[in-house]
Amino acid sequence: MFAQPLVTSAAVAASVLFILSLGGLSNQESAKRAVWYGIAGMALAVVFTALGPGVSNYGLMLAMVLVGAVIGTVVARRVEMTQMPQLVAALHSFVGLAAVFVGLNAEMERLRVEGLRAAGESLDGLAAFAARLATKTPTEIAFLQVEVVLGVFIGAVTFTGSVVAFGKLAGKLDGKPAQLPGGHLLNAAAALACVVLAVYYLAFGGMLPLIAITVLALFIGYHLIMGIGGADMPVVVSMLNSYSGWAAAAIGFTLSNDLLIVTGALVGSSGAILSYIMCKAMNRAFVSVILGGFGGASGSQMAVEGEMIATTADEAAAALDDADSVVIVPGYGMAVAQAQSAVSELTRRLRAKGKEVRFAIHPVAGRLPGHMNVLLAEAKVPYDIVLEMDEINEDFSDTEVAIVIGSNDIVNPAAQDDPNSPIAGMPVLEVWKAGTVIVCKRGQGTGYSGIENPLFFKDNARMLYGDAKQSINELLTKIG
């Protein structure tokens, strides 16, 4: 068993490693090293916390760690990159549920200590957490109750919200916004009821108000995320990441665990910052997105005129042979088809012919922030030709061929042209300004958000129908 000073030192070291990990993840080249920083920090945190003072039941703890390690290994091996967004959402739900359980258990232990005191029984031999409760002043107990009610509320919202996000990302739930009659008023009424119950709990304590808050918060999390459209799911995932961090911080306060407080604050603040950045990239107010203000029709949308013109691999290859500048726009369809390696090979061959090839990445491409960057890095695409929207958008007018692979909303001109479009005002990649736009798409359906894309009907757009991987591989046979 380690002494408390050593545990505290380990917590500081782990916190530094977590900060280095977050900082490194902002750059593709340093991301792998950053992941190892995070792994080392978590290993340090787990070992020194488990072997710290006041911890017991090592047999049960070891069994749970082994079970969790086995499950985590199996899931990690089975989950494809296309399933990573829903996996992240599912993991957020575990943190939220843990916060609820810790909060309810803390209140049970508090009531137990009060009961023993009222009965005049000895408080000797209590478990570590109950023993700490026995030494707290009334003021400290009041602060503990505030921590408990916040942890339970945030944790419950995070749990059901993450479950719904998982369902929408996995296609098990409809991606369109859906709310019960009353809409936001139901959420507001439930939140107000939680405030009233929290005041009652802080005044009188007891399990019933906490359980009632849990039930209402579970409803809020469910109904809130159900009311958010599929186009906003990347923001929802980062928002739930923030919620899970604050839930973890609340657990840390309840358990008097400094490392958990620091880690939760890091996750909570970084998730909130990422959500803000993504909302800015979508030209949406953060509150509007979170309250379900985006993803559904906002009026009569402009009619789409023209027709989709199909093309063949031979015609697409001829256009690429004649072009000197090419921009590739990857989207979720590329991830689903696992076409990144074929795209990387196409890039290599075109560059070998002396053509300028670059990638344009929208901040919310895919269904998870950084999704496309990870796929391209996995396929060995050079980092220096992968550019963000702001870096490349002005270059489309000088681009001879733009290849759109499985993207829809992020290349939709309706964001600029149609004020009644659900994505009106959202910054998009202006691929339609290129000389020729080749769109790799399975069929003529709409994208994940269900919004029609006028790009596909423009005179300079050509639709290369079929599985993205097969389409690119067929292109490769035409390009030596």
Side-chain angles (χ1 to χ4, degrees), residues 259-338:
L259 181 58
L260 201 51
I261 295 171
V262 172
T263 305
L266 285 173
V267 174
S269 56
S270 61
I273 292 170
L274 179 59
S275 298
Y276 171 77
I277 291 173
M278 295 180 69
C279 284
K280 186 177 180 181
M282 296 166 64
N283 194 31
R284 285 294 183 273
F286 179 77
V287 174
S288 174
V289 173
I290 300 312
L291 294 181
F294 175 49
S298 55
S300 298
Q301 296 175 234
M302 293 174 59
V304 179
E305 299 179 353
E307 61 178 354
M308 296 185 188
I309 303 175
T311 189
T312 64
D314 287 318
E315 293 175 346
L320 289 171
D321 277 335
D322 293 339
D324 291 323
S325 58
V326 178
V327 173
I328 301 174
V329 180
Y332 188 69
M334 185 187 78
V336 172
Q338 298 184 13

